[in-house]
Amino acid sequence: MVKELGNLTQLRRLGILKLRTKDGKDLCSSIKKMSNLRALSIVSIEEPEIIDLEHLSSPPVLLQRLYIRGRLEMLPHWIPSLHSLVKLSLKWSRLKDDPLVYLQYLPNLVHLVLSQVFTGPRLCFRAGGFKKLKILGLDEFDELKYIQVELGAMAFLEDLSIRRCQFLEKVPSGIEHLKKLKFLEFIDMPAELFNTLRPNAKDSEYWRVAHISEVHSTCWRDGEWKVYPLESWTNGENCPLPSTVKNTDELHTRWK
């Protein structure tokens, strides 16, 4: 069936579930024939299964949305050449090399979601990269300890969500450079991180996020998601939680 998909040359949207490693080559051969493809979603048969997408020599040039959920031995070499790509979502990739190096120059990328994508301790958004990016989500970077945003990176970013990065205890260094950033959300993150943002805390880093109109900490409590806005935090040194809670109806998150 994967081979026969190549006959659908006018297809605009394709979703593949339960893909096996051995079917990757045939899938690449079929996708190569789909010159009108605008959206592509690929999910492996199970989380540890490697998705083999290295055989796609000529990716669809009109592709705007790409979703890949499964292990990758390396970032597919053709992704950086997708100049029409607007949205990219990667999950379970567990790459050893920083994928931002290869993704930062996608000229029309607006929305990027990375979940369990990189196993290293450091991410760096370099100057001049992600020129059109407006929405960024980072989820479950198990070893991530440090995020750096260089001056001139992600100049138009408006919405940033960081979720379940348990070793990240400080906001990204250089986040103060993101002058267009309107919304910053931490989901299921260490309390130490949010504590560093209290204006009166020792060595407070509140100044890094003072220009952002909405800063939230979101967590699962009492059977529902609750949102704790930064401005509600008290000044008590031993207060681990905000004094007021927003309604869950107001939950603003990038995650499905």
Side-chain angles (χ1 to χ4, degrees):
M1 184 181 68
V2 174
K3 291 180 180 179
E4 293 173 355
L5 284 174
N7 296 323
L8 305 175
T9 57
Q10 300 303 308
L11 199 66
R12 288 173 176 259
R13 299 174 63 186
L14 173 63
I16 300 290
L17 299 176
K18 299 184 179 181
L19 185 72
R20 300 169 298 182
T21 303
K22 64 180 182 180
D23 294 324
K25 187 174 183 178
D26 288 334
L27 179 61
C28 288
S29 179
S30 293
I31 293 173
K32 182 180 178 181
K33 302 172 185 177
M34 299 177 182
S35 58
N36 286 293
L37 204 62
R38 265 52 168 201
L40 174 62
S41 176
I42 301 172
V43 181
S44 63
I45 192 169
E46 57 184 355
E47 183 176 340
E49 187 84 1
I50 293 174
I51 295 180
D52 182 8
L53 298 175
E54 283 301 307
H55 303 280
L56 185 55
S57 56
S58 300
V61 295
L62 301 177
L63 196 66
Q64 296 175 343
R65 299 183 301 281
L66 176 61
Y67 312 85
I68 300 177
R69 190 166 68 183
R71 288 287 299 275
L72 296 171
E73 289 188 329
M74 61 183 69
L75 189 75
H77 68 277
W78 45 270
I79 290 183
S81 70
L82 297 174
H83 290 179
S84 298
L85 199 65
V86 174
K87 182 174 182 178
L88 174 62
S89 176
L90 300 175
K91 185 174 183 179
W92 300 344
S93 307
R94 299 200 175 277
L95 299 168
K96 295 180 180 179
D97 296 326
D98 183 354
L100 302 183
V101 175
Y102 308 100
L103 301 177
Q104 62 183 329
Y105 297 119
L106 283 167
N108 290 297
L109 191 65
V110 172
H111 190 165
L112 176 63
V113 176
L114 302 176
S115 178
Q116 302 178 54
V117 166
F118 178 51
T119 58
R122 183 176 182 271
L123 282 177
C124 181
F125 294 87
R126 300 195 177 279
F130 297 105
K131 290 186 175 181
K132 289 191 176 182
L133 196 66
K134 291 185 177 182
I135 303 172
L136 173 63
L138 304 174
D139 179 27
E140 279 199 280
F141 282 65
D142 294 335
E143 299 180 23
L144 186 62
K145 296 181 180 179
Y146 181 76
I147 299 176
Q148 181 181 3
V149 180
E150 293 184 353
L151 180 63
M154 301 188 290
F156 290 94
L157 193 69
E158 298 178 357
D159 191 316
L160 173 59
S161 296
I162 303 177
R163 181 179 185 180
R164 297 184 293 185
C165 297
Q166 296 304 312
F167 292 102
L168 187 68
E169 296 184 352
K170 290 189 176 182
V171 295
S173 174
I175 195 173
E176 64 274 12
H177 302 318
L178 303 178
K179 300 304 182 183
K180 299 284 187 179
L181 193 60
K182 300 174 183 177
F183 185 86
L184 174 61
E185 182 177 40
F186 300 103
I187 307 174
D188 278 350
M189 292 289 289
E192 291 82 0
L193 184 148
F194 218 60
N195 280 331
T196 66
L197 298 180
R198 293 187 314 194
N200 296 327
K202 184 180 179 181
D203 299 323
S204 172
E205 294 201 323
Y206 172 76
W207 63 275
R208 292 190 185 274
V209 300
H211 66 290
I212 305 172
S213 56
E214 293 187 62
V215 182
H216 296 161
S217 176
T218 303
C219 61
W220 183 259
R221 286 186 176 275
D222 302 323
E224 62 180 350
W225 288 104
K226 293 187 177 180
V227 181
Y228 300 81
L230 177 62
E231 62 270 17
S232 70
W233 278 58
T234 66
N235 295 326
E237 288 297 323
N238 297 318
C239 182
L241 293 175
S243 57
T244 61
V245 182
K246 279 196 170 185
N247 296 327
T248 52
D249 291 342
E250 299 177 48
L251 180 62
H252 181 156
T253 178
R254 300 299 69 174
W255 311 96
K256 295 180 180 179

